[in-house]
Amino acid sequence: MAALKSHTKLISLLSLGAVAMFGFGFALVPLYDILCEQLGINGKTKSTASQYTNIQVDKSRLVTVELMSQVPSQMPWNFEPETKRIQVHPGELVRTHFTANNLSNRRIIGQAVPSVSPGMGAAYLNKTECFCFNQQPIEGNASADLPLIFFVDPALPDSINTLTLSYTLFDITASQSQGSLVQGTAR
């Protein structure tokens, strides 16, 4: 009888622990977002296009925008920015592009995920057009110019002189059905 009571108590404690871990797993994402916001790391950019209308360009200030690109080692693409460093005046509309080359013989669909550093600067880097808003299907042995148009908000704190916009390009081919593809511009 005593053994049955101790097993029941152990099973109850283990079940309670499993439920607590499951709940903690759901709480991790919002906790991570709060922690990153407080520490100013892992800057997330807006996932939709910003509007550029009647913005006063601050000619008295220059901000360096560094552009970086990454591709996982198993993805057979080259992915590079046209220019790696751009000097911009806050409020100035900047047009550039990245080039993606599919080195394989098969069609691959890529999706770029942006990040801005320092994280506090993410709110001040506004994209009016970005290849990251859409999937990028590129045929085998083909390339594409991927446009990026952005501006730095003139309200960027004076303590931030450099923003780093980094894109990681992922292969999402397996997760996409052939009927729902968004066509990219291939040359």
Side-chain angles (χ1 to χ4, degrees):
M1 188 69 157
L4 182 60
K5 277 188 172 183
S6 78
H7 288 307
T8 304
K9 183 178 179 181
L10 177 63
I11 290 172
S12 297
L13 287 173
L14 289 173
S15 298
L16 182 62
V19 169
M21 286 189 291
F22 185 74
F24 183 69
F26 275 104
L28 279 178
V29 172
L31 289 173
Y32 177 79
D33 287 342
I34 291 168
L35 180 66
C36 289
E37 183 178 323
Q38 294 300 315
L39 295 176
I41 58 175
N42 196 24
K44 295 180 180 178
T45 63
K46 297 176 188 168
S47 60
T48 59
S50 298
Q51 295 297 318
Y52 182 82
T53 55
N54 299 328
I55 294 177
Q56 183 67 34
V57 176
D58 182 357
K59 295 278 188 181
S60 68
R61 182 173 179 203
L62 277 175
V63 175
T64 301
V65 177
E66 298 174 334
L67 301 172
M68 299 176 62
S69 59
Q70 302 174 74
V71 179
S73 60
Q74 69 274 15
M75 187 174 179
W77 279 25
N78 283 335
F79 175 54
E80 295 290 329
E82 170 191 35
T83 305
K84 294 188 185 228
R85 295 181 74 126
I86 302 172
Q87 295 279 319
V88 302
H89 294 287
E92 174 183 10
L93 192 62
V94 179
R95 298 171 193 274
T96 188
H97 71 270
F98 283 64
T99 301
N101 299 302
N102 181 350
L103 305 175
S104 75
N105 292 325
R106 64 181 177 89
R107 181 176 199 244
I108 297 177
I109 304 168
Q111 179 69 57
V113 177
S115 178
V116 175
S117 176
M120 291 174 29
Y124 301 96
L125 185 71
N126 299 285
K127 295 174 287 191
T128 62
E129 183 179 336
C130 182
F131 57 91
C132 64
F133 298 153
N134 301 306
Q135 300 165 359
Q136 302 300 323
I138 300 179
E139 297 299 326
N141 299 307
S143 63
D145 286 333
L146 309 175
L148 172 63
I149 302 173
F150 69 92
F151 64 95
V152 175
D153 190 319
L156 178 74
D158 289 338
S159 62
I160 301 175
N161 297 313
T162 302
L163 294 170
T164 302
L165 176 56
S166 176
Y167 289 98
T168 303
L169 191 65
F170 294 98
D171 180 354
I172 61 167
T173 307
S175 66
Q176 300 302 306
S177 67
Q178 292 298 331
S180 66
L181 298 178
V182 177
Q183 296 298 316
T185 307
R187 60 177 165 132

